[in-house]
Amino acid sequence: NAYTHSKFSSTYGEPYAKFLSRIKQAEQASKVLKEMHIKVDGKGADDKSDLSNQIYTALSSTKNDIDGSLSDYKRANETDSDDLGPIIAVLSAYLQAEKNNEALYFVNTALLRNPENMDLLLLKAQTHALMGDTPKAIQVLSNLISTDSTNSLAYQHLALIYRSLNQNEEAQDVVNKGLSFLPEDFELKLIKASIFEALGRDQDAIKLYEKMLDKRPDSIMASNKLSSLLLDNRNDSVSLNRIHALSDAFKKNHAPQFLDTYGRVCYKVGNLAEAEQALNLLKANEEKYPKNAAIQYHLAKLYLAKSDHINAKKFLEEALKNSKNQQFEQRVEVNQLLKTL
């Protein structure tokens, strides 16, 4: 996502290309590298630095092991310690390998070189959260907010941690505090609406999403959330037409949360062919990433819409099992759904 929004940035392009190479998508990795260094109207990535050269060397290799990738990224990071791309890559690789202590040691070492770096402090908090040490993550984020009261990401991460713990009142307090300093922050408003949902205040959530879409009608995230709520709460023809209009934007977006909503819309209006197509795309995603809790959650929701409770239960259980080292705010909802099944 970062590379998509910053097409010519080596900060994101190089680690992304390295990742593609590691999962044996060499053609796509090569395409990323070529795009990254194309000059458009005189703009584009700078000539390759030592950092670039080291990652390019890693890309040329055929090894596919995590330890080798960590070694490559560590060398790159030693060349340019201010580049977050390799740091994020190392942390992700450690956490993927469930080497949590090494991940924490690595981010603490980076902070020794730059103890006031807000981005690194956010990474430290995320690492603690993914390790399951939520009290420490909360402490790091609270300190960060005390230092910088306009740090939107700190408010977002702290609120989402409370959400994952089902501490919705605390999450609401964090979001409201953030909005008092950043009243137009769209991401904080998205979280506020999701808290309304968690508190059973669906009508308040619907109103907030509608207001957000008035200001930013092209927000696919707000459109998706609103569509999902309307699906669960309203059956009148006006609402169904509204859902259909909103969901039209999801047809070409194959992200799990959009496939989930679009498929449920199709099942609701009786468009079974397109519903099955969305289901098959989600199944393909799950087969490709069999330990991704979010994909499994959305696949289960679509099976529920199909009234296939056996597969829904299967993937809800898989999502719960795999969410241990992942940011997954639907944990409480998954437990509740499993009780009903």
Side-chain angles (χ1 to χ4, degrees):
N1 285 340
Y3 172 71
T4 300
H5 290 289
S6 191
K7 203 76 171 179
F8 304 107
S9 169
S10 59
T11 300
Y12 305 114
E14 289 169 338
Y16 181 42
K18 167 61 184 171
F19 168 74
L20 290 169
S21 176
R22 185 163 62 81
I23 63 172
K24 298 181 180 178
Q25 292 188 15
E27 185 176 340
Q28 182 64 18
S30 177
K31 180 182 176 184
V32 169
L33 292 175
K34 288 177 181 176
E35 284 180 343
M36 198 173 60
H37 288 98
I38 291 173
K39 300 285 184 179
V40 178
D41 295 331
K43 297 178 181 178
D46 296 331
D47 292 334
K48 294 191 291 292
S49 61
D50 289 339
L51 168 65
S52 299
N53 285 323
Q54 288 182 5
I55 297 179
Y56 271 97
T57 300
L59 278 167
S60 67
S61 69
T62 58
K63 62 187 176 188
N64 193 31
D65 62 295
I66 290 176
D67 288 336
S69 298
L70 285 170
S71 176
D72 294 332
Y73 279 119
K74 283 178 181 176
R75 285 199 305 274
N77 188 52
E78 287 167 2
T79 305
D80 186 352
S81 61
D82 292 328
D83 192 332
L84 278 179
I87 294 174
I88 293 169
V90 171
L91 284 174
S92 297
Y94 271 137
L95 292 167
Q96 182 182 339
E98 297 185 359
K99 296 182 176 181
N100 296 333
N101 291 330
E102 289 91 336
L104 191 58
Y105 178 80
F106 182 79
V107 75
N108 282 331
T109 302
L111 275 165
L112 285 175
R113 294 194 295 266
N114 201 345
E116 296 181 3
N117 186 299
M118 297 294 181
D119 292 323
L120 286 175
L121 288 168
L122 277 172
L123 286 175
K124 180 176 180 178
Q126 287 178 277
T127 303
H128 279 299
L130 290 169
M131 290 172 62
D133 188 356
T134 50
K136 190 65 177 178
I138 288 170
Q139 180 187 342
V140 173
L141 290 167
S142 298
N143 291 341
L144 187 53
I145 288 170
S146 297
T147 304
D148 180 6
S149 61
T150 60
N151 191 317
S152 175
L153 285 173
Y155 289 112
Q156 290 175 46
H157 286 301
L158 184 53
L160 289 174
I161 286 174
Y162 281 128
R163 281 277 288 110
S164 71
L165 297 171
N166 202 27
Q167 296 179 15
N168 293 303
E169 300 290 348
E170 289 85 349
Q172 192 170 47
D173 289 342
V174 170
V175 169
N176 287 338
K177 181 179 178 181
L179 287 169
S180 71
F181 290 101
L182 303 159
E184 299 303 318
D185 192 292
F186 199 83
E187 299 301 323
L188 286 175
K189 288 181 180 179
L190 279 173
I191 297 173
K192 182 174 183 174
S194 75
I195 294 169
F196 282 152
E197 293 181 59
L199 292 171
R201 296 169 57 183
D202 286 0
Q203 299 309 315
D204 289 329
I206 288 171
K207 288 177 184 176
L208 182 51
Y209 286 131
E210 290 283 18
K211 286 181 181 177
M212 294 169 69
L213 285 168
D214 284 341
K215 291 192 174 182
R216 197 185 292 181
D218 61 341
S219 171
I220 194 168
M221 287 300 294
S223 294
N224 183 57
K225 292 284 191 177
L226 178 58
S227 296
S228 185
L229 270 176
L230 292 174
L231 271 172
D232 294 336
N233 286 276
R234 299 188 183 167
N235 285 307
D236 58 281
S237 59
V238 173
S239 295
L240 287 175
N241 287 334
R242 175 78 166 128
I243 294 167
H244 193 269
L246 288 168
S247 67
D248 198 54
F250 309 149
K251 283 184 181 179
K252 295 180 181 179
N253 194 313
H254 291 177
Q257 64 268 37
F258 304 130
L259 286 172
D260 166 3
T261 305
Y262 185 64
R264 286 193 290 138
V265 170
C266 291
Y267 278 124
K268 184 100 172 184
V269 300
N271 188 345
L272 298 183
E274 294 208 21
E276 288 294 314
Q277 183 180 359
L279 179 64
N280 288 333
L281 285 168
L282 260 178
K283 285 164 65 178
N285 271 335
E286 198 279 332
E287 288 168 5
K288 192 172 182 180
Y289 304 106
K291 292 189 177 182
N292 187 300
I295 293 175
Q296 288 162 338
Y297 161 79
H298 289 295
L299 182 55
K301 292 277 282 187
L302 204 42
Y303 273 122
L304 279 174
K306 190 183 179 183
S307 297
D308 182 346
H309 290 182
I310 293 175
N311 275 312
K313 184 172 184 288
K314 171 189 172 183
F315 286 108
L316 287 171
E317 288 173 341
E318 286 293 313
L320 203 58
K321 182 179 75 175
N322 290 323
S323 66
K324 181 180 177 183
N325 282 331
Q326 298 176 32
Q327 287 184 320
F328 186 66
E329 65 179 273
Q330 294 93 353
R331 196 172 286 109
V332 173
E333 182 190 349
V334 169
N335 277 312
Q336 291 171 343
L337 286 170
L338 282 170
K339 288 179 183 178
T340 69
L341 294 171

